[in-house]
Amino acid sequence: MQTKYLLSENQIPTHWYNVIPDLPGPMSPVLHPGTRKPVTPADLLPLFPMGLIEQEMSPERWVKIPDEVREIYRIWRPSPLFRAHRLEKALGTPARIYYKYEGVSPAGSHKPNTAVPQAYYNKIGGTKRIASETGAGQWGSSIALACKMFGLECTVYMVKVSFEQKPYRKSMMQLWGAEVIASPSPRTNAGRGILARDPESQGSLGIAISEAVEDAATRDDTRYALGSVLNHVCMHQTVIGLEAKEQMKLAGDVPDVVIGCHGGGSNFAGIAFPFVADKATGSKVRLVAAEPSSCPTLTKGVYAFDYGDTAQMAPISHMYTLGHDFMPPGIHAGGLRYHGASPLVSQLVNAGVIEARAVGQLAVFEAAVTFARTEAIIPAPESSHAIRVAIDEALQAKEEGKEKVILFNLSGHGHVDMAAYDAYFSGKLEDFEYPAEKVKESLAHLPQVDFAK
Amino acid sequence: MQTKYLLSENQIPTHWYNVIPDLPGPMSPVLHPGTRKPVTPADLLPLFPMGLIEQEMSPERWVKIPDEVREIYRIWRPSPLFRAHRLEKALGTPARIYYKYEGVSPAGSHKPNTAVPQAYYNKIGGTKRIASETGAGQWGSSIALACKMFGLECTVYMVKVSFEQKPYRKSMMQLWGAEVIASPSPRTNAGRGILARDPESQGSLGIAISEAVEDAATRDDTRYALGSVLNHVCMHQTVIGLEAKEQMKLAGDVPDVVIGCHGGGSNFAGIAFPFVADKATGSKVRLVAAEPSSCPTLTKGVYAFDYGDTAQMAPISHMYTLGHDFMPPGIHAGGLRYHGASPLVSQLVNAGVIEARAVGQLAVFEAAVTFARTEAIIPAPESSHAIRVAIDEALQAKEEGKEKVILFNLSGHGHVDMAAYDAYFSGKLEDFEYPAEKVKESLAHLPQVDFAK
């Protein structure tokens, strides 16, 4: 019985899977933040190169991966799929647990899967410089790396609390040649506005997005890049699930449940979307998004039109949201602190194709420790949300005395997040349930949209 | 042309390679620190289980790897071999550069290759608890992991300067269930002695070894484990070179020069020893050990009998040494700060089979940055010494207009060492050549050994 299932370089997928043609209904349009009318490709050109705009709206189920992108993917792809023999044994479960491990990338997470094609399409689209934002730094380090690979300049607005608490990922960005700026910053109107109201602001992903979007929109040589949420980002990540499907065949198993953690939606989409098509043709596989109970977008938010950012500069999307001025508490899974969700994931949750589950951070770290002490790999706090749900599913199988095949996405390693483990071991972490009245408050500020379906 | 060369799980070596029968002459004996007579297996039993003592003295060229050890190796082995296409292009060299990447282990370095079998032989030898020491933490985190895999308790004495400056690796040890103690500590006679003389002592690997050896020697349930230097440690690491040889065959190339960084000798031995046998049968391959100019054991030390530790409790070995009371400066490649060297590597250097080269840390970090910006992977500061020498070899090939095949060991990733990169970028690092008179001073304290060859 094998521990891991490997594919060769020539088995890196040749095409990304685009879930749009397999959606249960038509997509809602994305609205211009000023006019509140559906955006056109021309509206998006100041922010994105045409290659990515086309992908954002593509009706094609399969989109070719350029050779130049596969060339960089080869550094770490195909990533391994593991059978969690030791974890199963420790849990005493009849379930068979598999995990796809994306921590083998040079940045230590799944984020380079989309950073690389984004840099590539910008390069061929004439972009000289990319402005982006980052929370905990997984995305920022990945876009920095991708820009270096294609010879682009890169500026990253990093949420201030992470800039100060997570200096290691800042250093990774600098090593890969990027400029890193603590957000909110005096560099942009959006940042200056926030600082004027609250000079001590610790920042949020929504604010950092506003800064990066403004930077890109106001400079001719610069375009913007987003590490999650958007359709093309979710599509790029499907290399994860496509490889995992091939590897599950090698293992001779078919998953009953597929789990990914959920922040903006990209790593979840990466593992889960390739199974959505199977559901359309009769598969009973369950797809479960695991989110933090402190930022419960899918489980406590509403499915509505909302801005992608705090300063209302980004397009308005139809998505699950806690409100664009939602300020999440400073939990240690920094990558899961976004007020919104991918419109594609949102539509599939709303249609009942995808389930969502919120988990508390103490239970998440308990799962992470169990995992590290059995499977050896130290998981990122974000990925540990998926581990928590996978363990819960395995324990349920044990209780019911049923076989079950579980597949989850271990989206990154935790070597750069040891301070979070320190905080957990020293008893400094606590659970935080977002109070319902707070959600109600931020939801009162949703934009009025008179778009008729 | 491929980027990486992979082997399948069933190609994990079945046997370790033991260089002892291929040495150019008989080994010098190891001497008891008290009697200064050759140690017997019985002398070593308080410190090591019999399985490892036998390996330390084995005349067999091939030693079987137990199934239980290969089972754990499968988590990350076989490790990938990369062709450094992008680095070659950036250097404009006709050389073909390959690197074996050991950073894929759960601890991020090559150290688990020996930690796992050491824990295994202790487990079957009845040991309940292991005491060990660590400098920067690569070894400590690896022995903590291995102990957890086999259900042993683990205490790690960590050099104080690293305990304070490198909290992330301390947290990794704790996550894997180990107790971590800053050394020098009040827990041992050795530690109390140092603290009495210098309460502000920042510690050294020699001191930490004294503490761990004392801990193990004074407790019946506890044995000692060392992460480098010893014969069995070097042998366990040969899985690196054995796999690399198979992968070089897949690549259709034969190395002209094989490079590893050198602290105690284990990762260098791992990549280089499997090529020593080839040299005995006519191969012209050069084997180059890259050490820091601030701790120039092989290039500025003497080949003599010396203690393995500061407190003169560890056995006396015939090795290159800077003197057992040598205190290296606080360079950022913490894993390369040992006063001595593996007796096996030392004998081969002395016989001219292995070359040694010292490199300054500024040149090392410059090489690391070049590597990260071309090959994407962030190298550990230790491993970057090998990169420096590999780049120098490639540039020499360019100058001479010659083809050359270079293989080096990228022994670990640098995600946990970003503070060192920070220091480099902010101009806080400087080169440090160890002054000749200082070496002379510490060499004045070598033990008098009347052992006649």
Side-chain angles (χ1 to χ4, degrees):
Chain A
M1 218 155 41
Q2 280 185 262
T3 297
K4 55 190 185 305
Y5 297 88
L6 301 177
L7 302 172
S8 65
E9 273 182 30
N10 58 24
Q11 291 173 290
I12 294 172
T14 55
H15 292 72
W16 291 298
Y17 166 70
N18 179 18
V19 80
I20 292 175
D22 290 320
L23 289 176
M27 274 196 301
S28 299
V30 173
L31 308 180
H32 191 285
T35 64
R36 301 190 183 178
K37 303 277 178 216
V39 294
T40 62
D43 290 334
L44 295 174
L45 258 182
L47 294 184
F48 301 104
M50 192 47 83
L52 294 175
I53 295 171
E54 283 169 3
Q55 290 185 352
E56 191 64 14
M57 304 177 168
S58 171
E60 300 297 326
R61 187 173 278 111
W62 297 102
V63 175
K64 188 174 185 308
I65 305 178
D67 288 344
E68 293 84 348
V69 171
R70 293 180 84 235
E71 194 58 38
I72 308 281
Y73 277 175
R74 287 169 173 219
I75 297 173
W76 72 96
R77 303 213 71 83
S79 67
L81 178 88
F82 285 84
R83 169 82 184 269
H85 291 296
R86 288 178 192 79
L87 176 61
E88 292 170 15
K89 202 174 156 197
L91 298 174
T93 177
R96 297 192 290 285
I97 307 175
Y98 296 86
Y99 55 96
K100 179 73 169 165
Y101 184 39
E102 292 292 310
V104 294
S105 87
S109 81
H110 66 293
K111 292 289 187 187
N113 294 333
T114 182
V116 170
Q118 289 193 49
Y120 167 75
Y121 287 109
N122 271 288
K123 179 72 177 182
I124 63 169
T127 310
K128 301 289 179 217
R129 173 175 173 270
I130 283 183
S132 193
E133 75 291 317
T134 198
Q138 285 101 333
W139 168 247
S141 52
S142 301
I143 190 68
L145 167 63
C147 284
K148 178 54 71 183
M149 293 290 114
F150 288 106
L152 299 171
E153 287 177 61
C154 181
T155 291
V156 179
Y157 294 86
M158 184 173 192
V159 176
K160 194 180 278 171
V161 61
S162 295
F163 184 91
E164 286 164 358
Q165 285 179 8
K166 309 211 167 181
Y168 279 22
R169 284 223 175 79
K170 178 183 62 183
S171 309
M172 286 167 73
M173 291 181 247
Q174 290 166 338
L175 173 53
W176 282 319
E179 176 192 37
V180 188
I181 296 169
S183 166
S185 81
R187 174 92 71 107
T188 64
N189 284 326
R192 285 188 292 268
I194 299 282
L195 288 172
R197 288 196 296 281
D198 176 10
E200 301 304 312
S201 169
Q202 289 295 289
S204 74
L205 203 51
I207 296 170
I209 292 175
S210 298
E211 292 207 271
V213 167
E214 180 183 330
D215 179 321
T218 54
R219 276 184 61 162
D220 275 351
D221 63 344
T222 301
R223 283 201 175 88
Y224 170 70
L226 186 65
S228 193
V229 179
L230 300 180
N231 302 351
H232 66 270
V233 178
C234 292
M235 185 184 79
H236 296 155
Q237 292 293 355
T238 60
V239 289
I240 301 171
L242 293 170
E243 286 178 8
K245 278 180 134 177
E246 291 305 308
Q247 289 163 310
M248 290 298 294
K249 281 184 203 159
L250 293 180
D253 251 333
V254 175
D256 297 306
V257 54
V258 176
I259 302 159
C261 67
H262 187 278
S266 79
N267 103 73
F268 174 75
I271 190 89
F273 278 6
F275 292 92
V276 168
D278 301 349
K279 281 182 82 87
T281 58
S283 159
K284 300 276 185 225
V285 63
R286 292 166 50 221
L287 309 175
V288 183
E291 66 180 10
S293 55
S294 56
C295 189
T297 314
L298 298 175
T299 53
K300 298 264 180 78
V302 295
Y303 187 47
F305 281 87
D306 197 6
Y307 297 101
D309 69 329
T310 307
Q312 312 182 2
M313 289 188 60
I316 296 170
S317 299
H318 196 191
M319 60 182 180
Y320 278 89
T321 178
L322 294 164
H324 59 272
D325 48 7
F326 167 83
M327 285 293 283
I331 61 163
H332 274 281
L336 306 182
R337 298 169 73 240
Y338 183 57
H339 71 272
S342 144
L344 292 174
V345 171
S346 296
Q347 185 174 354
L348 289 161
V349 167
N350 190 244
V353 177
I354 290 169
E355 303 167 37
R357 202 176 295 175
V359 285
Q361 74 175 347
L362 291 181
V364 163
F365 273 94
E366 185 201 22
V369 172
T370 299
F371 186 84
R373 291 183 177 177
T374 52
E375 293 296 308
I377 296 169
I378 298 177
E382 289 82 3
S383 319
S384 302
H385 289 69
I387 297 175
R388 178 71 265 168
V389 173
I391 289 179
D392 289 345
E393 290 282 337
L395 292 175
Q396 191 195 1
K398 179 183 181 178
E399 203 172 305
E400 295 172 355
K402 276 188 192 163
E403 286 204 7
K404 186 192 277 186
V405 178
I406 298 168
L407 167 65
F408 72 89
N409 191 15
L410 184 64
S411 57
H413 72 59
H415 287 186
V416 195
D417 302 287
M418 295 312 303
Y421 282 95
D422 253 5
Y424 173 67
F425 283 122
S426 59
K428 285 183 197 146
L429 292 193
E430 49 189 33
D431 277 331
F432 186 93
E433 292 274 345
Y434 212 77
E437 61 271 27
K438 274 287 209 184
V439 175
K440 216 169 163 183
E441 201 175 289
S442 57
L443 288 179
H445 305 147
L446 294 185
Q448 294 301 314
V449 172
D450 60 358
F451 160 73
K453 263 211 177 175
Chain B
M1 219 154 41
Q2 281 185 260
T3 297
K4 55 190 185 305
Y5 297 88
L6 301 177
L7 302 172
S8 65
E9 273 182 31
N10 59 23
Q11 290 173 290
I12 294 171
T14 55
H15 293 72
W16 290 298
Y17 166 70
N18 179 18
V19 79
I20 291 175
D22 289 321
L23 289 176
M27 276 196 301
S28 299
V30 173
L31 308 181
H32 190 286
T35 64
R36 302 191 181 178
K37 303 277 179 216
V39 295
T40 63
D43 289 333
L44 295 174
L45 258 181
L47 294 183
F48 300 105
M50 192 46 84
L52 294 176
I53 294 171
E54 283 169 4
Q55 290 184 355
E56 191 65 15
M57 303 177 169
S58 171
E60 300 298 324
R61 185 173 280 111
W62 296 101
V63 174
K64 189 174 183 309
I65 304 178
D67 288 344
E68 294 84 348
V69 171
R70 293 180 84 233
E71 194 58 38
I72 308 282
Y73 276 174
R74 288 170 172 217
I75 297 173
W76 72 97
R77 303 214 70 85
S79 67
L81 178 89
F82 285 83
R83 169 82 185 270
H85 292 296
R86 289 178 192 78
L87 176 61
E88 292 169 15
K89 202 173 153 197
L91 298 175
T93 178
R96 296 191 291 284
I97 307 176
Y98 295 86
Y99 56 96
K100 179 73 168 165
Y101 183 39
E102 293 292 309
V104 294
S105 87
S109 80
H110 67 293
K111 293 287 187 187
N113 294 333
T114 182
V116 170
Q118 288 193 50
Y120 168 75
Y121 287 108
N122 271 287
K123 179 72 177 182
I124 62 169
T127 309
K128 300 289 179 217
R129 175 175 172 270
I130 282 182
S132 192
E133 76 290 318
T134 199
Q138 286 102 330
W139 168 245
S141 53
S142 301
I143 190 69
L145 167 63
C147 285
K148 179 52 71 182
M149 294 289 114
F150 288 105
L152 300 172
E153 288 177 60
C154 181
T155 291
V156 179
Y157 294 86
M158 185 173 191
V159 176
K160 192 178 278 171
V161 61
S162 295
F163 184 91
E164 286 164 359
Q165 286 180 5
K166 309 211 167 181
Y168 279 22
R169 285 223 174 79
K170 177 182 64 183
S171 309
M172 288 167 71
M173 291 182 246
Q174 290 166 338
L175 174 53
W176 282 319
E179 176 192 38
V180 187
I181 296 170
S183 167
S185 81
R187 175 90 72 104
T188 64
N189 284 327
R192 285 188 292 269
I194 298 283
L195 289 171
R197 287 196 297 280
D198 176 10
E200 301 304 311
S201 169
Q202 288 296 290
S204 73
L205 203 52
I207 295 170
I209 293 174
S210 298
E211 292 209 90
V213 167
E214 180 183 329
D215 180 320
T218 54
R219 275 184 62 162
D220 275 352
D221 64 344
T222 302
R223 284 200 174 87
Y224 171 71
L226 187 66
S228 192
V229 178
L230 300 180
N231 301 351
H232 66 269
V233 178
C234 292
M235 184 183 79
H236 296 155
Q237 292 292 358
T238 59
V239 289
I240 301 171
L242 293 170
E243 285 178 9
K245 278 181 134 176
E246 291 305 309
Q247 290 163 312
M248 290 298 295
K249 280 184 204 160
L250 293 180
D253 251 333
V254 176
D256 297 306
V257 55
V258 176
I259 302 160
C261 68
H262 186 279
S266 80
N267 102 73
F268 174 75
I271 190 89
F273 278 7
F275 292 92
V276 168
D278 301 349
K279 282 182 80 90
T281 57
S283 158
K284 300 275 185 227
V285 63
R286 292 167 48 221
L287 308 176
V288 183
E291 66 180 10
S293 55
S294 55
C295 188
T297 314
L298 298 175
T299 52
K300 297 265 181 77
V302 295
Y303 187 47
F305 280 88
D306 196 7
Y307 297 101
D309 70 329
T310 307
Q312 312 183 2
M313 290 188 60
I316 296 170
S317 298
H318 195 189
M319 61 183 180
Y320 279 89
T321 178
L322 294 163
H324 58 272
D325 49 7
F326 168 83
M327 285 293 283
I331 60 163
H332 274 281
L336 306 182
R337 297 168 74 239
Y338 183 58
H339 70 274
S342 145
L344 292 174
V345 171
S346 295
Q347 185 173 354
L348 288 161
V349 168
N350 190 245
V353 177
I354 289 169
E355 304 168 35
R357 203 176 297 174
V359 285
Q361 73 175 348
L362 292 181
V364 164
F365 274 94
E366 185 201 23
V369 172
T370 299
F371 186 83
R373 291 183 177 178
T374 51
E375 293 296 308
I377 296 169
I378 299 177
E382 290 81 2
S383 319
S384 302
H385 290 69
I387 297 175
R388 177 71 265 167
V389 172
I391 289 179
D392 289 345
E393 289 282 337
L395 291 175
Q396 192 194 358
K398 180 183 181 180
E399 203 170 306
E400 295 172 356
K402 274 187 194 167
E403 287 204 6
K404 186 192 276 187
V405 178
I406 299 168
L407 167 64
F408 73 88
N409 190 17
L410 185 64
S411 57
H413 71 60
H415 288 185
V416 196
D417 302 287
M418 295 312 302
Y421 283 96
D422 254 4
Y424 172 67
F425 282 122
S426 59
K428 286 183 196 145
L429 293 193
E430 48 188 34
D431 277 330
F432 186 93
E433 290 275 345
Y434 213 77
E437 62 271 26
K438 274 286 208 183
V439 175
K440 214 168 167 184
E441 202 175 288
S442 57
L443 288 178
H445 305 146
L446 294 185
Q448 293 302 314
V449 172
D450 60 358
F451 159 73
K453 267 215 175 169

